[in-house]
């Protein structure tokens, strides 16, 4: 028991409740320092600090911006087997998969453009674009099995689109209508799908990362060969939840892929003010986790890295960290204006590295895509998005009863009473609560009558009973 | 207001200081012998609260292979209080294990595991250390079902944590943070008063389809000993327990405070005051009806908890009762609680709402 300590002065636990002795830990069975780090000396007899700069993590790249592939450089002494999912030939992704990835990227770009425009027109309250990061999000999703769990942050709509979330499903969530799975409770872009194994988004940052560790632990116990991927930004990786999650994932050996979208900014804070070290990838080593840095605008590199990471996760029950180097080409959200914190020149440099254009160049070089298909697909997607948006806008809001459902599995008596109180109140002033009143069956005419009656009362008060602003309404007299 | 399983009286083993607590534990241990020994013919067995909790966890794990236990030191060691003793031996390292020292990690992990369909029972070593996990409990666990429109939930989650003072634990081994969590729709909060209650309520908490915060009165872990059915049983969540009927005044509390309230009632009885005693058992959702029915009958209410006065759960109870029982109240509702200070060490006796303070409140209420 030498290695077990309590955390304070109180240690009533001097014996198990029944008085017997527990089996002790055996530290000799645990890996020693030289087993974990087989290279280099484990003991020194001169003073020397290490900075971490001894290690430089390269970026895995496969695709040049012009659509040609880099030649594969196999390190000396490394066999093909150890390179996991990387393919040697000139078409590392088969044609059908590649075209599906590309169409999903185009859809995501079109959706983002149209919905930001809708927000600017006042049709939608809020939006967040994935622009510039489509290769990271969709390339990784494409490398997974469809029943692997995705626990994303909020800018990963492309992964959901890859799984087949329909345009109507996106719209229903954004407009919070009666068909929104989330029953109109969350701001736009907080999607979720049980059928598509895509965990509902929550706004607090990084909370999904330790949850992914736990989810993956459950998958390991279930033994069906599934894994979890969790996606987050380099800013969220500063949260304590990130570190807790990676440490637990390594200690408990779970099949989880941690995918960091290092897109350069956390709202306005540049990554150089987010961390002093060499990005996110080396943090994995603090937890003895495998790690790779990839070009996040290179769909082939992302796809191959994720494929290989999945193999490690599922076959050896070990977590993997992927840091995808990319750039948030759009604003943080519809409420943000990047011109206040970054230059047009910087944006232009990254616009030249557009992941969609890079993939298109490659597809065209393969002879799998053409200018005509590009135009036709773009037109068709824009039409689809606009028509879907019109449908979603017209649907009714969620029923009033959803105000109290799903807080618990069944509403408590107090909640039921609170809902009844709200309904009583709406019956008095239905015009003030048109969505709830409609849900309760009030007609448009009844709402109008209520409005008029209320306005008439207000007018009577103004004309017959002028009230000084500082005076109590009842003139200080008891009624 | 009923206790489903038995009509047995409340255990009469009030022991308050930690030296006595440890001697009570030794006696209990000697009386019950080994883990599998000395079962009574009635199917009941003397257990202290830790044994009852350990027994409930054992039963839950045996009945459902998806029940998984984890937290700091819960593995080989069986937890710093030994509530999880032998369970790793019995069910293996995959189902009962130590975690790294990270409360936010533990509850984040537990949320994910519950969302996956498992039944995690996560231990936070002391309720005083639950705050790094506040976000995962309040923003995540409590809102999981609501925000997804019931696509996903963490209903399988139970968080066990020892709370409360009286053990010379000072600021950071004594707190009763139930009120912070009571302000969070979506959670259930349960606080048992004795071994029998602890076992039945914990089994119900583990099987309840909502996330439950199960707060264990650590002062009573070994001090409270009583007969506990060996079989699998559950006691209802959200239902208060009238443990003694009376005419003159209603005394309301939960967890370790019930023992103190009983002593105060005994003092009052010597003055001819007939107290009705209610154990709320569930803080969220709480049993308004049972409490209000009692106050309508007695016209007087004293609520007592160890946590500080301001914003304590007694405030919520007092507000609700005055709304529903206004014309029946014979005296203002009295709250007997800890002071509005951090939890002291040397002066903890002065700080705590003991039986004398409650007794005085009872008399003031009667003489109002």
């Amino acid at each position: 028991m030498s290695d077990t300590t309590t955390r304070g002065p109180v240690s009533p636990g001097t014996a198990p409740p029944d008085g017997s002795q527990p089996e002790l830990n055996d530290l000799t069975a645990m890996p020693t320092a030289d087993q974990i780090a087989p290279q280099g000396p484990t003991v020194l007899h001169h003073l020397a600090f290490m900075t971490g700069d001894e290690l430089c993590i390269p970026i895995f790249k496969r695709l040049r911006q012009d659509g040609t592939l880099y030649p594969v450089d196999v390190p000396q002494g490394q066999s093909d087997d150890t390179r996991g999912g990387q393919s040697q030939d000139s078409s590392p992704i088969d044609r059908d998969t590649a075209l599906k990835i590309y169409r999903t990227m185009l859809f995501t770009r079109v959706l983002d453009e149209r919905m930001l425009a809708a927000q600017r027109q006042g049709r939608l309250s809020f939006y967040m674009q994935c622009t510039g990061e489509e290769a990271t999000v969709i390339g990784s999703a494409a490398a997974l099995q469809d029943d692997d769990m995705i626990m994303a942050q909020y800018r990963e709509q492309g992964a959901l689109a890859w799984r087949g979330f329909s345009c109507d499903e996106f719209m229903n969530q954004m407009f919070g209508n009666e068909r929104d799975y989330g029953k109109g409770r969350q701001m736009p872009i907080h999607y979720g799908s049980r059928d598509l194994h895509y965990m509902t988004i929550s706004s607090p940052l990084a909370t999904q990362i330790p949850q992914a560790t736990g989810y993956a632990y459950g998958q390991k116990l279930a033994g069906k060969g599934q894994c979890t991927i969790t996606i987050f930004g380099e800013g969220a990786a500063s949260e304590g939840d990130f570190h807790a999650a990676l440490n637990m994932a390594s200690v408990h050996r779970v099949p989880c892929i941690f995918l960091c979208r290092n897109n350069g900014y956390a709202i306005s804070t540049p990554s150089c003010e987010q961390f002093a070290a060499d990005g996110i990838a080396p943090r994995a080593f603090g937890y003895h986790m495998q790690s790779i840095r990839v070009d996040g605008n290179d769909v082939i590199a992302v796809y191959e890295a994720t494929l290989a990471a999945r193999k490690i996760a599922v076959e050896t029950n070990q977590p993997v960290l992927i840091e995808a180097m990319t750039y948030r080409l759009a604003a943080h959200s519809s409420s943000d204006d990047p011109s206040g914190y970054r230059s047009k020149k910087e944006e232009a440099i990254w616009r030249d590295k557009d992941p969609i254009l890079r993939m298109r160049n490659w597809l065209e070089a393969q002879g799998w895509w053409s200018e005509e298909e590009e135009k036709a697909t773009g037109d068709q997607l824009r039409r689809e998005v606009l028509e879907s948006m019109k449908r979603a806008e017209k649907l009714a809001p969620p029923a009033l009863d959803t105000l109290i459902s799903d807080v618990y599995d069944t509403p408590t008596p107090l909640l039921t009473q609170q809902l009844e109180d709200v309904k009583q109140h709406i019956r008095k002033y239905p015009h003030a609560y048109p969505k709830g009143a409609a849900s309760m069956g009030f007609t448009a005419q009844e709402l109008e009558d209520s409005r008029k009656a209320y306005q008439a009362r207000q007018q009577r008060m103004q004309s017959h009973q002028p009230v000084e602003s500082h005076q109590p309404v009842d003139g200080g007299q008891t009624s | 207001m009923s206790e489903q399983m038995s009509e047995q009286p409340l255990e009469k083993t009030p022991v308050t200081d930690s030296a006595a607590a440890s001697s009570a534990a030794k006696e209990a241990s000697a009386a019950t012998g080994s883990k599998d020994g000395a079962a009574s013919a009635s199917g009941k067995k003397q257990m202290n609260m830790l044994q009852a909790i350990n027994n409930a966890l054992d039963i839950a794990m045996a009945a459902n292979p998806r029940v998984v236990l984890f937290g700091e030191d819960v593995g080989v060691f069986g937890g710093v209080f030994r509530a999880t003793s032998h369970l790793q031996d019995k069910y293996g390292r995959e189902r009962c294990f130590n975690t790294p020292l990270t409360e936010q990690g533990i509850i984040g992990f537990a949320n994910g595991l519950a969302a996956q369909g498992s039944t995690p029972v996560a231990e936070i070593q002391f309720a005083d250390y639950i705050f790094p996990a506040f976000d995962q409990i309040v923003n995540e666990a409590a809102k999981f079902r609501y925000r997804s429109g019931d696509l996903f939930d963490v209903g399988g989650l139970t968080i066990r944590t020892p709370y409360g003072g009286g053990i010379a634990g000072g600021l950071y081994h004594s707190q009763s943070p139930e009120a912070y969590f009571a302000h969070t729709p979506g959670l259930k909060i349960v606080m048992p008063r004795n071994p029998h209650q602890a076992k039945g309520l914990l089994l119900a908490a583990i099987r309840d389809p909502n996330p439950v915060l199960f707060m264990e009165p650590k002062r009573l872990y070994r001090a409270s000993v009583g007969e506990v059915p060996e079989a699998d049983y559950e006691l209802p969540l959200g239902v208060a327990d009238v443990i003694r009927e009376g005419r003159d005044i209603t005394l309301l509390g939960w967890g370790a405070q019930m023992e103190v309230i009983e002593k105060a009632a005994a003092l009052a009885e010597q003055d001819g005051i007939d107290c009705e005693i209610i154990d709320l058992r569930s803080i969220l959702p709480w049993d308004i009806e049972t409490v209000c029915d009692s106050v309508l009958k007695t016209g007087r209410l004293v609520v007592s908890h160890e946590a500080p006065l301001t914003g304590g759960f007694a405030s919520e109870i007092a507000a609700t009762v005055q709304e529903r029982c206004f014309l029946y109240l014979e005296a203002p509702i009295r709250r007997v609680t800890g002071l509005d200070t951090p939890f002291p060490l040397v002066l903890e006796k002065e700080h705590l709402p003991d039986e004398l303070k409650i007794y005085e409140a009872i008399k003031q209420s009667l003489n109002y």
Side-chain angles (χ1 to χ4, degrees):
Chain A
M1 228 156 311
S2 59
D3 195 50
T4 45
T5 52
T6 62
R7 290 220 311 200
V10 184
S11 53
T14 50
D18 61 8
S20 66
Q21 290 301 313
E23 187 187 318
L24 301 188
N25 279 317
D26 182 7
L27 280 181
T28 59
M30 297 183 182
T32 59
D34 57 321
Q35 282 170 309
I36 287 173
Q39 292 159 7
T42 57
V43 178
L44 281 182
H45 301 292
H46 64 272
L47 181 64
F49 293 95
M50 296 178 78
T51 62
D53 296 342
E54 297 82 358
L55 192 69
C56 173
I57 301 186
I59 302 180
F60 174 51
K61 286 173 178 275
R62 292 280 276 133
L63 197 54
R64 298 189 184 92
Q65 190 63 24
D66 66 5
T68 60
L69 289 169
Y70 291 99
V72 176
D73 50 346
V74 182
Q76 249 177 349
Q78 190 177 355
S79 71
D80 286 358
D81 296 349
T82 55
R83 288 184 296 108
Q86 187 180 356
S87 159
Q88 295 243 47
D89 58 44
S90 57
S91 53
I93 305 178
D94 68 72
R95 182 191 159 119
D96 287 351
T97 307
L99 288 176
K100 188 181 166 194
I101 290 173
Y102 187 67
R103 287 202 177 94
T104 307
M105 287 165 79
L106 282 182
F107 168 76
T108 306
R109 185 68 62 94
V110 167
L111 180 73
D112 285 355
E113 286 168 2
R114 291 296 106 193
M115 297 324 290
L116 186 73
Q119 194 277 335
R120 293 292 184 246
Q121 292 165 3
R123 293 165 80 179
L124 190 64
S125 61
F126 178 80
Y127 195 73
M128 296 183 101
Q129 297 173 283
C130 178
T131 309
E133 302 176 52
E134 294 92 343
T136 296
V137 169
I138 299 158
S140 58
L144 301 173
Q145 298 293 308
D146 278 350
D147 56 359
D148 291 336
M149 174 51 73
I150 298 177
M151 299 175 86
Q153 183 165 299
Y154 47 57
R155 206 184 296 285
E156 295 87 354
Q157 52 267 42
L160 194 48
W162 166 264
R163 291 263 171 104
F165 206 60
S166 72
C167 200
D168 283 352
E169 288 175 303
F170 279 108
M171 293 297 166
N172 291 337
Q173 195 286 327
M174 283 185 272
F175 287 95
N177 63 34
E178 60 187 341
R179 290 194 198 155
D180 169 19
Y181 302 132
K183 303 177 188 170
R185 290 168 181 155
Q186 295 211 71
M187 286 168 71
I189 66 95
H190 290 62
Y191 315 108
S193 170
R194 188 170 184 83
D195 292 345
L196 300 177
H197 306 279
Y198 190 95
M199 182 62 71
T200 302
I201 301 300
S202 85
S203 307
L205 285 178
T207 51
Q208 81 280 13
I209 311 176
Q211 290 170 12
T213 301
Y215 202 100
Y217 189 82
Q219 288 171 318
K220 181 172 93 165
L221 293 189
K224 290 180 186 159
Q226 295 155 341
C227 71
T228 296
I229 190 168
T230 179
I231 314 173
F232 49 88
E234 87 288 350
S238 293
E239 294 280 5
D241 271 0
F242 165 85
H243 299 275
L246 265 69
N247 189 37
M248 289 185 78
S250 267
V251 169
H252 296 298
R253 297 179 63 100
V254 304
C256 187
I257 301 168
F258 297 94
L259 172 57
C260 177
R261 300 179 285 101
N262 186 340
N263 66 10
Y265 288 89
I267 304 189
S268 73
T269 303
S271 56
C272 63
E273 292 176 40
Q274 193 67 243
F275 41 72
D278 176 25
I280 308 300
R283 293 183 190 174
F285 305 136
Y287 306 111
H288 197 238
M289 184 185 297
Q290 296 194 56
S291 184
I292 189 170
R293 174 175 284 152
V294 300
D295 181 342
N297 288 16
D298 176 340
V299 73
I300 295 174
V302 171
Y303 178 83
E304 289 183 342
T306 311
L307 208 58
R310 188 184 188 281
K311 196 172 154 67
I312 295 167
V314 170
E315 292 181 5
T316 70
N317 279 324
Q318 288 183 77
V320 182
L321 175 64
I322 302 174
E323 180 182 21
M325 308 306 290
T326 180
Y327 190 81
R328 195 194 73 210
L329 272 178
H332 164 70
S333 74
S334 56
S335 315
D336 173 45
D337 174 13
S339 68
Y341 54 82
R342 68 186 191 191
S343 69
K344 295 276 175 217
K345 193 177 148 204
E346 179 187 292
E347 290 178 0
I349 290 170
W350 281 92
R351 202 160 285 118
D352 288 344
K353 300 179 187 177
D354 185 343
I356 296 187
L357 188 59
R358 194 182 304 186
M359 186 175 194
R360 179 181 168 188
N361 288 339
W362 178 69
L363 288 175
E364 289 186 355
Q366 304 293 109
W368 294 348
W369 195 249
S370 65
E371 179 68 37
E372 295 71 42
E373 284 169 294
E374 178 81 14
K375 188 176 180 315
T377 306
D379 289 348
Q380 181 234 320
L381 287 173
R382 269 183 286 278
R383 228 177 10 253
E384 189 188 330
V385 166
L386 286 174
E387 284 167 8
S388 179
M389 179 159 38
K390 282 182 196 161
R391 279 195 296 276
E393 281 176 315
K394 285 182 193 141
L395 288 171
L400 183 62
D401 288 9
T402 63
L403 205 51
I404 64 155
S405 60
D406 306 330
V407 178
Y408 296 96
D409 62 320
T410 52
T412 61
L414 189 57
L415 273 177
T416 306
Q417 184 212 310
Q418 289 174 4
L419 178 65
E420 196 42 53
D421 291 347
V422 167
K423 285 183 178 172
Q424 287 287 2
H425 180 75
I426 292 175
R427 283 188 195 102
K428 279 190 182 170
Y429 304 98
H431 68 277
Y433 310 95
K435 294 188 183 101
S439 172
M440 289 168 66
F442 281 86
T443 63
Q445 186 59 52
E446 286 168 325
L447 293 194
E448 191 51 33
D449 293 346
S450 166
R451 180 177 297 107
K452 281 181 183 156
Y454 185 73
Q455 282 168 351
R457 209 184 81 173
Q458 298 287 86
Q459 280 163 6
R460 271 201 309 279
M461 277 176 66
Q462 281 164 15
S463 55
H464 300 307
Q465 287 187 314
V467 173
E468 293 291 325
S469 60
H470 62 271
Q471 257 188 331
V473 175
D474 63 359
Q477 292 166 8
T478 51
S479 56
Chain B
M1 66 167 279
S2 64
E3 186 171 308
Q4 285 183 337
M5 284 304 299
S6 89
E7 295 73 45
Q8 67 180 50
L10 196 68
E11 282 76 8
K12 303 291 184 196
T13 52
V15 185
T16 48
D17 68 84
S18 50
S22 109
S23 94
K26 280 185 197 129
E27 282 164 30
S29 172
T32 55
S34 73
K35 188 163 175 278
D36 301 309
S40 71
S42 63
K44 291 182 180 175
K45 193 171 156 182
Q46 286 284 312
M47 294 186 196
N48 66 31
M49 190 180 284
L50 281 171
Q51 290 168 320
I53 288 166
N54 185 265
N55 183 235
L57 294 172
D58 192 354
I59 287 171
M61 291 183 91
N64 178 2
R66 300 197 74 174
V67 173
V68 181
L69 262 56
F70 49 90
E72 294 156 15
D73 305 303
V74 308
V76 171
F77 193 47
V80 296
F81 291 100
R82 308 304 174 79
T84 54
S85 278
H86 302 293
L87 297 174
Q88 186 177 82
D89 262 0
K90 196 163 173 183
Y91 298 100
R93 278 171 171 268
E94 290 202 319
R95 291 185 60 200
C96 178
F97 53 89
N98 289 339
T99 63
L101 211 162
T102 168
E103 288 78 12
Q104 67 194 94
I106 292 167
I107 304 302
F109 182 99
N111 278 333
L113 192 54
Q116 182 266 344
S118 298
T119 307
V121 182
E123 178 178 306
I124 297 295
Q125 200 163 79
F126 288 88
D128 310 71
Y129 301 133
I130 204 166
F131 301 108
F134 200 72
D135 190 39
Q136 284 288 349
I137 297 171
V138 166
N139 266 336
E140 296 293 315
K143 298 171 173 62
F144 225 92
R145 178 184 268 122
Y146 181 83
R147 75 186 183 204
S148 71
D150 206 21
L151 290 183
F152 301 97
D153 68 77
V154 295
L157 172 64
T158 303
I159 302 168
R160 291 181 40 247
T161 191
Y163 84 93
I167 55 151
L171 288 84
Y172 301 117
H173 298 82
S174 304
Q175 294 176 72
S176 301
E178 67 271 16
Y180 292 113
F181 297 99
H183 202 55
T184 307
L187 292 182
K188 291 193 175 182
I189 305 170
V190 179
M191 301 170 80
R193 70 174 182 273
N194 67 23
H196 172 258
Q197 292 284 319
K199 178 176 172 181
L201 289 170
L202 181 55
L203 279 165
I206 292 169
R207 292 159 181 170
D208 190 88
N210 299 284
V212 181
L213 179 59
F214 192 81
M215 301 179 66
E216 301 167 359
K218 60 178 169 292
R219 180 169 65 77
L220 300 185
Y221 264 162
R222 290 163 195 276
S224 178
V225 180
E227 277 209 324
V228 177
E230 292 181 281
D232 188 342
Y233 66 93
E234 295 177 24
L235 295 173
L237 306 189
V239 180
D241 189 12
V242 179
I243 58 182
R244 179 179 137 167
E245 295 196 6
R247 288 185 320 271
D248 298 331
I249 186 166
T250 303
L251 309 182
L252 176 63
W254 47 88
Q257 202 57 11
M258 294 319 298
E259 180 205 56
V260 181
I261 287 172
E262 282 212 303
K263 286 186 194 169
L267 288 173
E269 197 171 15
Q270 292 168 5
D271 296 344
I273 301 169
D274 186 15
C275 299
E276 178 142 310
I277 303 177
I278 302 179
D279 176 4
L280 197 58
R281 298 200 288 196
S282 284
I283 307 304
L284 195 68
W286 67 286
D287 186 350
I288 297 173
E289 210 174 325
T290 297
V291 173
C292 288
D293 283 352
S294 174
V295 176
L296 291 176
K297 181 177 77 176
T298 63
R300 292 182 169 85
L301 176 64
V302 171
V303 191
S304 182
H305 55 61
E306 286 183 23
L309 177 82
T310 304
F313 199 67
S315 316
E316 178 60 34
I317 293 168
T320 303
V321 170
Q322 67 83 19
E323 256 177 34
R324 300 196 184 203
C325 311
F326 188 68
L327 294 176
Y328 292 79
L329 286 172
E330 305 283 353
I333 298 164
R334 297 284 314 218
R335 291 173 291 163
V336 186
T337 70
L339 273 59
D340 283 341
T341 67
F343 203 99
L345 180 66
V346 176
L347 296 180
E348 86 175 331
K349 248 184 144 29
E350 285 70 13
H351 172 82
L352 280 171
D354 66 357
E355 64 269 25
L356 292 174
K357 292 181 184 174
I358 297 171
Y359 171 60
E360 282 303 308
I362 292 169
K363 285 198 298 184
Q364 285 170 14
S365 180
L366 265 295
N367 297 330
Y368 183 76

